[in-house]
């Protein structure tokens, strides 16, 4: 057998640079974090945040569910979900349990678009009260696993006020709760330039120094709601530069549906989550951040029930569920909610999505683990990883229990930790 025509030194020369390229790729695409991602985030105006906000929203959502969809088939029909009776009842049962146990996964105290035209003195009072409410919820054990604040944009001439509000919120929360919760995150809206991200990153570092926090304790999510946050003036994709400027603090990018669509000049009736123009932004986000620590979230549905009639509540559920399904089809597993009604349609749609394919996923994972080649599908390793993520997401959000997964697949899948991982 031939020893080969290429000598060791020649092979080394030919492969020069490969190792460094691999290291650079690992830095650029470190992989998704092994921590939990919420499936929703509830935005509540700063002056409406109370210690029991999550509980109150859950109670209101549960009342809507019991009053307007007392069984699975009615809930599925109201949301436009094509489910058989058994699956519909299963979804109804899990949504009911979710609204009782953990109605809000992520709470964002909103000091921006949901909180406009307040005086500085009023904002000082409200942000202090909101932070105190979050601290009280943490102490009482009723806070959502993830919580944070959306500050004002740096593009509106209110950068100083934005920083002062964040400073007061963080300081009050630390004073009253003793520390920041593991799932704490700041939302930074309407970015139009890399310099905004650099400045905001510097603000977070300065706050860490001022409050004696470990480096990169303060992390943020970027709201993509302006065209310059997608494409820079030279026509390049701006998003990757924002990640670099964030110095390991950027944990998520959220689509701002209405500001982005308005910025494109779309008429009001076209300013909606499922408009094709928003799909372009989603796809750019996916290509930019796939394989990184930056997670993606979709925006909101700006519709709420005008009254408490079943027809009106069902109308909102149908519209919101359709938007959630659109997000899921595009790989966005998280989205914003603005009203208790949205919690019902959010969890119904997400649970229907994960449960409808769960049995097949668990069977395929068992076949993969046991080396059973008799099944109809010959899965590739990449597909297996997708199946694993789907099962993990189902466990994280409460659609299925670890015991159910273990019985069906033999796998031990437990909820992932809350702490938000960042790039080092």
């Amino acid at each position: 057998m031939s020893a080969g025509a290429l000598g060791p030194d020649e092979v080394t020369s030919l492969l020069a640079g490969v190792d460094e390229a691999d290291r650079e790729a690992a830095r650029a695409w470190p992989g998704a974090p092994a921590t939990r991602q919420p499936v929703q985030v509830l935005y509540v105006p700063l002056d409406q945040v109370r210690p029991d906000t999550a509980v109150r929203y859950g109670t209101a959502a549960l009342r809507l569910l019991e009053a307007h969809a007392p069984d699975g088939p009615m809930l599925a029909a109201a949301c436009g979900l094509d489910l058989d009776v058994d699956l519909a009842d299963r979804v109804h049962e899990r949504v009911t349990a979710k609204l009782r146990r953990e109605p809000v996964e992520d709470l964002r105290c909103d000091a921006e678009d949901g909180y406009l035209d307040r005086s500085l003195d009023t904002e000082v009072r409200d942000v202090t009260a909101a932070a105190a409410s979050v601290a009280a919820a943490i102490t009482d054990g009723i806070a959502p696993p993830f919580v944070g604040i959306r500050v004002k944009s740096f593009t509106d001439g209110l950068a100083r006020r934005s920083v002062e509000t964040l400073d007061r919120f963080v300081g009050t929360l630390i004073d009253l709760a003793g520390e920041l919760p593991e799932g704490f995150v700041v939302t930074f809206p309407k970015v139009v330039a890399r310099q905004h991200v650099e400045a905001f990153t510097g603000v977070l570092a300065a706050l860490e120094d001022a409050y004696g926090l470990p480096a990169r304790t303060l992390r943020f999510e970027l709201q993509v709601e302006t065209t310059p946050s997608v494409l820079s003036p030279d026509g390049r994709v701006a998003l990757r530069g924002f990640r670099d400027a964030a110095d390991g603090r950027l944990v998520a990018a959220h689509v701002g549906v209405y500001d982005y669509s308005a910025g494109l000049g779309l008429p009001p009736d076209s300013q909606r989550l499922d408009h094709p123009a928003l799909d372009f932004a989603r796809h750019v986000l996916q290509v930019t951040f796939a394989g990184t620590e930056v997670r993606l979230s979709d925006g909101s549905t700006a519709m709420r029930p005008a009254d408490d009639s079943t027809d009106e509540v069902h109308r909102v559920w149908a519209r919101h569920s359709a938007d959630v399904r659109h997000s899921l089809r595009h790989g966005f597993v998280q989205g914003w909610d603005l009203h208790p009604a949205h919690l019902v349609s959010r969890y119904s749609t997400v649970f229907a999505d994960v449960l409808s394919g769960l049995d097949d996923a668990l069977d395929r994972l068992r076949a993969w683990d046991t080396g059973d080649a008799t099944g109809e599908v010959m899965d590739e390793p990449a597909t297996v990883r997708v199946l694993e993520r789907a099962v993990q997401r189902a466990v994280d959000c409460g659609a299925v229990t670890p015991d159910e997964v273990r019985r069906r697949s033999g796998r031990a899948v437990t909820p992932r930790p809350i702490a938000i991982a960042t790039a080092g």
Side-chain angles (χ1 to χ4, degrees):
M1 181 176 178
S2 171
L6 301 178
D9 291 342
E10 186 175 3
V11 171
T12 298
S13 177
L14 290 169
L15 297 180
V18 169
D19 289 344
E20 177 54 34
D22 288 343
R23 287 190 290 270
E24 178 56 34
R27 288 190 291 269
W29 294 280
T35 51
R36 175 181 172 185
Q37 179 180 13
V39 300
Q40 61 88 229
V41 51
L42 176 69
Y43 274 77
V44 177
L46 204 61
D47 58 337
Q48 296 179 25
V49 177
R50 303 290 184 270
D52 64 344
T53 289
V55 175
R56 286 190 294 108
Y57 270 72
T59 300
L62 190 60
R63 187 197 67 78
L64 290 171
L65 176 63
E66 293 171 344
H68 302 294
D71 59 46
M74 185 177 290
L75 177 61
C79 292
L81 302 171
D82 184 15
L83 308 178
D84 61 43
V85 173
D86 288 342
L87 182 54
D89 285 340
R90 192 177 177 192
V91 168
H92 191 281
E93 173 194 351
R94 299 300 167 88
V95 171
T96 301
K98 179 72 170 180
L99 293 175
R100 289 173 175 162
R101 178 183 59 85
E102 189 185 72
V104 177
E105 293 193 348
D106 192 357
L107 172 65
R108 197 67 71 248
C109 306
D110 190 8
E112 203 229 4
D113 278 353
Y115 180 84
L116 298 175
D117 301 325
R118 269 74 164 191
S119 68
L120 176 59
D121 288 343
T122 299
E123 185 165 337
V124 168
R125 180 196 66 204
D126 289 342
V127 72
T128 303
S133 291
V134 171
I138 293 170
T139 301
D140 293 342
I142 58 174
F146 301 88
V147 68
I149 181 172
R150 175 165 71 165
V151 297
K152 286 181 169 55
S153 167
F154 280 11
T155 66
D156 300 326
L158 295 173
R160 182 177 296 276
R161 183 163 167 176
S162 176
V163 173
E164 290 171 351
T165 294
L166 177 59
D167 189 353
R168 191 173 299 274
F169 189 92
V170 170
T172 302
L173 188 53
I174 292 174
D175 285 345
L176 298 179
E179 61 183 359
L180 294 177
E182 286 185 314
F184 183 77
V185 66
V186 182
T187 305
F188 188 45
K190 295 184 179 66
V191 176
V192 299
R194 176 174 175 144
Q195 290 85 346
H196 286 179
V197 179
E198 291 172 343
F200 193 65
T201 298
V203 167
L204 298 182
L207 288 174
E208 288 168 351
D209 289 341
Y211 289 108
L213 300 172
R216 295 190 179 89
T217 297
L218 295 175
R219 297 142 303 187
F220 72 99
E221 54 196 22
L222 183 75
Q223 268 192 268
V224 178
E225 50 186 337
T226 67
T227 53
S229 63
V230 177
L231 296 178
S232 59
D234 61 2
R236 296 174 180 268
V237 175
L239 294 165
R240 196 73 184 195
F242 292 166
R243 176 181 179 256
D244 294 340
D247 191 30
R249 297 177 184 274
L250 183 63
V251 296
H254 291 220
V255 177
V257 171
Y258 301 99
D259 281 280
Y260 187 85
S261 56
L264 293 175
L266 298 181
D269 60 351
S270 294
Q271 293 174 16
R272 62 181 195 272
L273 184 146
D274 64 350
H275 193 282
L278 271 296
D279 291 339
F280 169 78
R282 290 186 192 95
H283 298 162
V284 174
L285 280 165
Q286 286 173 310
V287 172
T288 301
F289 293 128
T292 75
E293 73 290 346
V294 181
R295 286 166 160 163
L296 304 180
S297 174
D298 220 334
S300 61
T301 299
M303 179 185 291
R304 62 182 180 180
D307 55 51
D308 195 38
S309 66
T310 294
D311 286 346
E312 180 64 13
V313 172
H314 284 194
R315 182 182 72 89
V316 172
W317 283 350
R319 176 68 264 167
H320 185 235
S321 178
D323 283 346
V324 175
R325 293 197 300 275
H326 188 86
S327 299
L328 292 172
R329 282 194 297 271
H330 287 264
F332 283 68
V333 300
Q334 182 181 0
W336 302 1
D337 295 323
L338 305 175
H339 188 273
H342 296 164
L343 300 180
V344 176
S345 40
R346 169 76 58 188
Y347 292 131
S348 298
T349 309
V350 170
F351 286 12
D353 179 66
V354 297
L355 291 175
S356 62
L358 185 66
D359 290 341
D360 177 64
L362 294 176
D363 288 342
R364 289 163 70 176
L365 289 174
R366 179 183 285 278
W368 176 267
D369 291 340
T370 60
D372 181 5
T374 62
E376 295 181 356
V377 181
M378 297 178 61
D379 284 315
E380 296 288 334
T383 303
V384 170
R385 289 193 292 272
V386 172
L387 295 172
E388 289 172 336
R389 288 197 294 270
V391 173
Q392 183 68 67
R393 182 164 65 96
V395 170
D396 286 347
C397 71
V400 67
T401 67
D403 286 343
E404 289 175 291
V405 173
R406 186 179 298 106
R407 286 197 301 269
R408 283 297 309 275
S409 69
R411 288 188 168 217
V413 180
T414 58
R416 288 177 293 186
I418 292 169
I420 300 174
T422 58

